[in-house]
Amino acid sequence: MSIKTVSKNQQFLEQQNQRESNARSYPRRFPLAMHKAEGMIVTDADGREFYDCLAGAGTLALGHNHPVVIDAIERMLHEKRPLHTLDITSEIKEEFVNEIFSSLPEEFAKRAKIQFCGPTGGDAIEAAIKLVKTATGNRSILSFHGAYHGATHGTMSLSGNLSPKERVQGLMPDVHFLPYPYEYRCPFGIGGKDSHRISSSYIERVLNDPESGILPPAGMIFEAVQGEGGSIPASIEWMKEMRRITKEKGIPLIIDEVQSGIGRTGKMFAFEHAGIVPDVVVLSKAIGGSLPLSVVIYDKDLDQWNPGAHIGTFRGNQATLKFIKETNLLDHVEELGERMQASLKDIQKQVPALGDVRGRGLMIGVEVVNPNEKQDVDGSYPANPELASLIQKNCFDKGLIVETGGRFGSVIRFLPPLIMTEEQLEKVIAIFKEAVYDAVN
Ligand SMILES: Cc1ncc(COP(=O)(O)O)c(C=O)c1O
């Protein structure tokens, strides 16, 4: 008589499938039940290990269960500090604000006010939009093609991806989408570095045009490196131009650092690469040090909303930024990011289906294309989402978790913990290479 053993993974996955919402997304691409996690390594319910280059979609800057985070949580519990305080302050909260303000560029920090929001990035974006609408009295918001700002009604309205919007009626009106610079798949069909220059001159013209159809904006919002849009970095010049144009026109500039903030790109905040000072910065994901937290930090001139303008019950947890500063982690991110991009470009040289490798710091994307089809006017090949999914699946089968995203879901995205070691990087690259070769051969 044969005894059929049911894998624990399978059992949990089947239960999940029966009980959880059809709206769930990640579990469909990563069929595992997580059991344990440490640093970059996740162990599933059957004891299989994975290198985690998703890391909570960029949330786990220090990887899973970093001792600094565990110590802080244990201390809080041991000392019976309040776990729930609404907006009421505490010693730990004040320390946290000190830590955040001292991590921001001085010019911004000295004029900054902070609003603690509900625990998701989307909630903080909602707050930022209400903030600038209240302060300016205007209602139009300028957003960008390929943007992702969340999945609430308001933030979905600001996001580029059409498929989740298609069946939701009555999204927030007065959102105007502008072309984000994208060297590989240029919105103007030009490509390369010119993409940034043309985008900024187009935007300036639109905002100067009395017949553009856009009422005076309440704000402009962008990601300094688009995350879900496909790991697309805006150039330094483009960001400087956006700052110049918005300043000249009195349009508050909101930078969404939910994914790129807290060291991900090799600087504490991705806008710092351009040396600009925004009016509003939105933070979530890594700022919570593994726990849910989001904040909006903004210029005090915008602080014109009334008490209760953005309230909620869960206001998030305290985090630890000290570790990143004390351990020179940003240099490590910059160095590893460069090495990772160089190794991926080496693979790209042998595999024409890898159309583009790009990113900033440890926010890296590989765009998967079909090189057998006709090139576009800007030299790009059509997206190949099927091949991207196959590479992702091969990676998973070989023990590597990587995300797909970007246009048509054809960009493989790497968001590893910032504490990834050189050996782990080599392992990730080796698995990825094998996965790509298996998929194209
Ligand atoms: C740039 C950016 N903004 C906002 C959000 C929304 O954050 P949340 O999923 O916590 O609502 C995300 C999530 O991926 C993001 O990447």
Side-chain angles (χ1 to χ4, degrees):
M1 192 179 72
S2 72
I3 300 169
K4 197 173 158 220
T5 50
V6 182
S7 122
K8 273 196 177 170
N9 254 340
Q10 219 41 54
Q11 191 188 324
F12 292 139
L13 285 167
E14 272 161 29
Q15 285 177 353
Q16 182 183 41
N17 193 27
Q18 278 170 20
R19 298 193 288 211
E20 286 191 30
S21 145
N22 197 41
R24 72 192 188 283
S25 159
Y26 291 105
R28 296 178 198 273
R29 297 191 292 282
F30 306 113
L32 82 160
M34 288 195 185
H35 176 57
K36 258 175 45 188
E38 193 176 348
M40 196 181 178
I41 307 294
V42 168
T43 312
D44 78 5
D46 294 328
R48 250 193 97 195
E49 290 191 345
F50 295 84
Y51 288 90
D52 187 3
C53 273
L54 177 61
T59 298
L60 303 166
L62 306 185
H64 293 271
N65 289 324
H66 193 281
V68 168
V69 174
I70 299 293
D71 279 359
I73 296 172
E74 281 179 351
R75 217 174 332 115
M76 280 279 294
L77 295 176
H78 183 70
E79 292 171 8
K80 295 211 166 35
R81 302 294 185 121
L83 290 179
H84 188 271
T85 62
L86 300 166
D87 279 334
I88 296 161
T89 200
S90 67
E91 186 185 343
I92 293 178
K93 189 172 185 176
E94 292 308 313
E95 278 171 17
F96 174 65
V97 175
N98 290 343
E99 200 62 54
I100 286 201
F101 277 31
S102 65
S103 308
L104 286 161
E106 204 188 328
E107 209 184 327
F108 183 61
K110 68 180 187 227
R111 296 185 49 80
K113 298 273 270 184
I114 186 167
Q115 163 76 23
F116 282 79
C117 300
T120 67
D123 190 67
I125 302 280
E126 293 279 355
I129 297 303
K130 288 191 288 177
L131 175 84
V132 295
K133 283 187 172 179
T134 309
T136 60
N138 294 337
R139 59 177 196 246
S140 307
I141 301 286
L142 305 173
S143 188
F144 285 87
H145 302 166
Y148 184 75
H149 299 294
T152 59
H153 249 75
T155 57
M156 192 177 272
S157 316
L158 300 169
S159 301
N161 191 356
L162 296 180
S163 86
K165 294 183 178 190
E166 267 161 10
R167 295 173 61 199
V168 183
Q169 300 301 321
L171 289 171
M172 184 171 78
D174 299 307
V175 179
H176 299 278
F177 286 90
L178 299 168
Y180 191 83
Y182 186 176
E183 292 181 22
Y184 186 69
R185 217 170 274 295
C186 174
F188 300 97
I190 304 288
K193 303 280 171 233
D194 283 345
S195 186
H196 305 268
R197 187 182 49 75
I198 296 172
S199 164
S200 55
S201 59
Y202 169 83
I203 290 166
E204 186 161 28
R205 279 187 184 234
V206 165
L207 295 178
N208 281 332
D209 183 353
E211 306 218 6
S212 67
I214 303 176
L215 288 166
M220 171 188 278
I221 179 164
F222 68 78
E223 300 151 85
V225 181
Q226 278 192 344
E228 304 303 302
S231 309
I232 309 171
S235 71
I236 307 308
E237 300 71 42
W238 185 86
M239 286 194 264
K240 285 192 162 137
E241 279 296 274
M242 288 309 106
R243 179 64 285 193
R244 178 187 66 75
I245 296 165
T246 49
K247 188 156 251 161
E248 282 175 15
K249 305 219 148 298
I251 302 170
L253 176 60
I254 306 165
I255 304 214
D256 179 347
E257 291 272 355
V258 168
Q259 191 167 134
S260 56
I262 321 301
R264 168 67 47 199
T265 67
K267 296 232 185 260
M268 195 57 98
F269 306 101
F271 68 79
E272 287 182 276
H273 290 278
I276 58 171
V277 178
D279 300 298
V280 184
V281 175
V282 183
L283 296 169
S284 187
K285 293 196 190 265
I287 189 80
S290 307
L291 298 174
L293 173 70
S294 80
V295 294
V296 188
I297 308 174
Y298 54 90
D299 188 288
K300 60 183 181 199
D301 283 353
L302 294 169
D303 201 25
Q304 294 175 35
W305 47 6
N306 290 334
H310 193 74
I311 51 167
T313 302
F314 284 99
R315 317 310 281 162
N317 306 277
Q318 324 306 333
T320 224
L321 283 164
K322 272 199 197 104
F323 181 83
I324 293 187
K325 290 191 248 171
E326 283 170 4
T327 54
N328 276 342
L329 199 61
L330 299 180
D331 294 343
H332 176 75
V333 170
E334 206 143 359
E335 203 183 302
L336 239 60
E338 277 166 23
R339 281 183 55 176
M340 193 162 193
Q341 275 208 51
S343 307
L344 292 168
K345 281 183 176 153
D346 282 345
I347 305 174
Q348 185 197 16
K349 280 185 202 135
Q350 313 300 323
V351 184
L354 304 186
D356 191 32
V357 173
R358 57 176 178 254
R360 193 163 280 149
L362 285 173
M363 194 165 174
I364 295 175
V366 178
E367 182 140 354
V368 182
V369 298
N370 190 339
N372 301 320
E373 286 192 21
K374 205 166 144 268
Q375 272 171 300
D376 209 335
V377 279
D378 59 2
S380 63
Y381 286 102
N384 195 340
E386 294 79 21
L387 184 60
S389 296
L390 181 58
I391 295 172
Q392 182 187 42
K393 181 182 175 303
N394 288 351
C395 285
F396 185 80
D397 291 345
K398 293 171 193 296
L400 170 64
I401 296 177
V402 284
E403 171 64 314
T404 49
R407 302 307 203 281
F408 307 101
S410 64
V411 180
I412 312 252
R413 302 188 55 225
F414 293 85
L415 287 165
L418 311 185
I419 45 97
M420 176 171 68
T421 63
E422 288 176 17
E423 296 74 49
Q424 287 173 327
L425 168 61
E426 271 159 34
K427 196 74 197 157
V428 166
I429 293 292
I431 299 177
F432 179 71
K433 189 171 178 177
E434 251 184 64
V436 169
Y437 277 80
D438 284 1
V440 294
N441 290 322

